[in-house]
Amino acid sequence: VSRPMTIDDVVTKTGITLAVLCAVGVVSYFLVSANIALAMPFTLVGALGGLALVLVATFGRKQDNPAIVLSYAALEGLFLGAVSFVIANFTVSGANAGALIGQAILGTIGVFAGMLIVYKTGAIRVTPKFTRMLVAAMVGALVLMLGNLVISIFGSHDGGPLRNGGTLAIVFSLVMIAIAAFSFLLDFDAADQMIRAGAPEKAAWGVALGLTVTLVWLY
C-alpha cells in the first residue's frame, strides 16, 4: 500500500529531476562546444522530445511516471545545454559565457525563491479566478510565440518582432518572465492540495515535472 505524499517527497523527486537535467545539460554544452554542428540536432531533439513527453504525461495522465519525468529532464538538459552555448557564444557575442549563464541560473533561482516566499506568506492567493487568468495568459503567450516563429521563418531574419532586441521584444520578455514566475504559485498550490488530500507518494513526480517545466521556461 502506497504511503501518503509528503513535502520531503516533493523536494527529493524535484532534486533528482533537476540533477538529471543539469548533468545532461553540462554534457550537451561541452559536446556542442567541441562540435557546433551538434547544436541544431540537440536543440530540436531536446525541445520537440520534451514537448512530446509533457503532452503524453498531461493528456495520458502519466505525470507520476518517473520514467517519463526523468526522460523529460534528460531531453530538456540536451536542449538547454545546446541553446546556452549558442546564446552565450554567438547570439550575445563578446559576452563572458560563464557569467551570462551564471546570471541566468541565479536569476531563475532568485525568482523561484521569491515566489515561494510570496506563496508561503499568502501575499498572493491561488484562487480559481487567478488560475483562469494565468492559463489565459499562457495560451495568449503561446499564440504570440507561434506567430513570431512563423514570421521569423518566412518573413524576418532577425528572430521576428518578439526576438529582435527591440522595445516590443524586451516588453514581451518581461511579460513572459512574469507569467513563468506566477506559474510557480500554481505548482506550489498543487503540491499543497495533494499533500492535504493524502495523495500517494508517487504523485510527487507529477509535482516535480510541473516545477521543472516552469524552471526551464523561466531560464
Side-chain angles (χ1 to χ4, degrees), residues 39-179:
M40 183 59 73
F42 279 11
T43 299
L44 291 177
V45 171
L48 297 179
L51 176 61
L53 285 181
V54 168
L55 293 176
V56 168
T58 302
F59 294 105
R61 299 185 180 278
K62 299 181 182 296
Q63 297 99 322
D64 59 356
N65 187 317
I68 290 179
V69 175
L70 295 179
S71 296
Y72 167 80
L75 287 167
E76 288 303 314
L78 194 70
F79 166 72
L80 291 181
V83 167
S84 295
F85 180 85
V86 171
I87 290 177
N89 291 278
F90 293 95
T91 304
V92 187
S93 57
N96 183 298
L100 195 66
I101 294 171
Q103 289 170 8
I105 293 173
L106 287 175
T108 302
I109 295 173
V111 172
F112 175 84
M115 296 312 292
L116 181 58
I117 293 172
V118 167
Y119 179 77
K120 284 299 184 182
T121 58
I124 299 177
R125 297 192 178 279
V126 179
T127 63
K129 182 178 180 180
F130 174 86
T131 302
R132 288 194 299 270
M133 290 175 60
L134 192 56
V135 170
M138 290 180 186
V139 173
L142 178 61
V143 171
L144 284 174
M145 286 190 290
L146 291 175
N148 186 76
L149 178 63
V150 172
I151 292 173
S152 64
I153 292 175
F154 296 105
S156 175
H157 299 290
D158 59 1
L162 301 182
R163 294 297 181 194
N164 61 8
T167 302
L168 180 61
I170 294 173
V171 171
F172 179 73
S173 295
L174 292 175
V175 170
M176 294 298 288
I177 290 172
I179 294 175

